[in-house]
Amino acid sequence: MNEVIKVLCERRSTRSYSEEQIPLNILNEILKCGTYAPSGMGKQSAVIVVIRNKKIIEDIEKINRSFINNNENFHPFYKAPTLLVVLADKNINTYIEDGSAVIINILNAAYSLGVNSCWIHRARETFETKYGKELLKKWGLNENYIGIGNVVLGYRNVEMPKPSKRKENYIIFDEKE
Ligand SMILES: Cc1cc2nc3c(=O)[nH]c(=O)nc-3n(C[C@H](O)[C@H](O)[C@H](O)COP(=O)(O)O)c2cc1C
């Protein structure tokens, strides 16, 4: 297996992190790979917001949790030290796919550099709230930007999870080779 195939098949979502922060040079490499994701007509409709301030991560996490439950013992960002929010401009009709492609590049680039990650849902809902809209403003983004997904990044303090079995008939050939 070459290194790229290995990364693509062996990356797994991590749900428990140490407090160790990712060095900026490594984070920048990961972010660069996000920006090189494919996008519809090359329009690059997505943006990546990087949050390393613990208080702001916790505030966004609180909103994220409010869409699932109000159990304060549940940490939907798993106490990871870095949070990325990927948003994309809804005026570009491939914005959801564009943002998703950015996230996938980030997850795989991170793993290739020894950084663990997890894609976390409910970014759309988060940036429809009053606080979410205030953050958009702070980041210089208008309300055309829709949350596509959150990515938490850091170093795991648990075993690497095993992949679930791939389902039957995942791949369908139109004609037998
Ligand atoms: C669109 C999307 C949303 C996801 N949202 C969450 C989430 O909110 N919380 C979480 O722990 N994992 C989330 N995940 C991660 C999936 O649960 C994970 O990718 C899946 O269980 C397969 O595991 P693997 O990534 O280790 O292969 C999400 C993944 C995708 C693609």
Side-chain angles (χ1 to χ4, degrees):
M1 247 199 294
N2 77 31
E3 278 307 305
V4 175
I5 305 282
K6 213 167 135 60
V7 165
L8 295 176
C9 295
E10 293 183 0
R11 176 215 55 82
R12 300 274 73 81
S13 298
T14 292
R15 297 191 173 85
S16 184
Y17 292 86
S18 72
E19 287 184 1
E20 185 184 347
Q21 189 51 284
I22 309 162
L24 203 52
N25 61 327
I26 293 183
L27 178 62
N28 282 332
E29 285 267 289
I30 296 169
L31 295 168
K32 181 176 81 182
C33 294
T35 70
Y36 277 91
S39 62
M41 295 180 78
K43 287 192 176 169
Q44 302 178 32
S45 67
V47 294
I48 309 162
V49 180
V50 182
I51 304 147
R52 313 251 277 174
N53 175 313
K54 197 166 178 216
K55 164 88 173 67
I56 298 180
I57 294 178
E58 284 172 359
D59 287 346
I60 300 174
E61 181 179 65
K62 214 175 279 174
I63 294 186
N64 191 293
R65 183 174 53 219
S66 73
F67 294 108
I68 327 171
N69 61 50
N70 275 317
N71 177 357
E72 288 185 12
N73 295 320
F74 176 61
H75 297 279
F77 293 164
Y78 306 118
K79 302 189 179 176
T82 292
L83 169 67
L84 308 181
V85 181
V86 175
L87 304 113
D89 182 348
K90 70 176 181 198
N91 292 319
I92 294 173
N93 66 6
T94 55
Y95 77 100
I96 296 175
E97 293 84 354
D98 295 348
S100 301
V102 168
I103 295 174
I104 293 162
N105 262 23
I106 287 170
L107 302 180
N108 286 312
Y111 186 61
S112 80
L113 294 168
V115 175
N116 300 109
S117 66
C118 192
W119 179 332
I120 310 291
H121 202 43
R122 299 167 295 281
R124 171 182 286 267
E125 296 87 328
T126 299
F127 292 92
E128 285 169 350
T129 64
K130 186 167 171 283
Y131 178 64
K133 287 179 182 173
E134 281 167 21
L135 286 174
L136 288 181
K137 206 165 168 194
K138 174 182 167 194
W139 299 332
L141 299 170
N142 62 40
E143 291 186 19
N144 290 329
Y145 280 85
I146 307 295
I148 305 300
N150 309 282
V151 177
V152 293
L153 292 172
Y155 297 101
R156 67 188 163 87
N157 59 9
V158 285
E159 285 289 296
M160 190 73 172
K162 297 264 176 291
S164 57
K165 195 171 169 294
R166 300 298 96 177
K167 67 179 183 183
E168 297 291 326
N169 304 321
Y170 211 140
I171 299 165
I172 299 164
F173 276 85
D174 170 48
E175 289 181 2
K176 288 231 181 310
E177 295 279 310

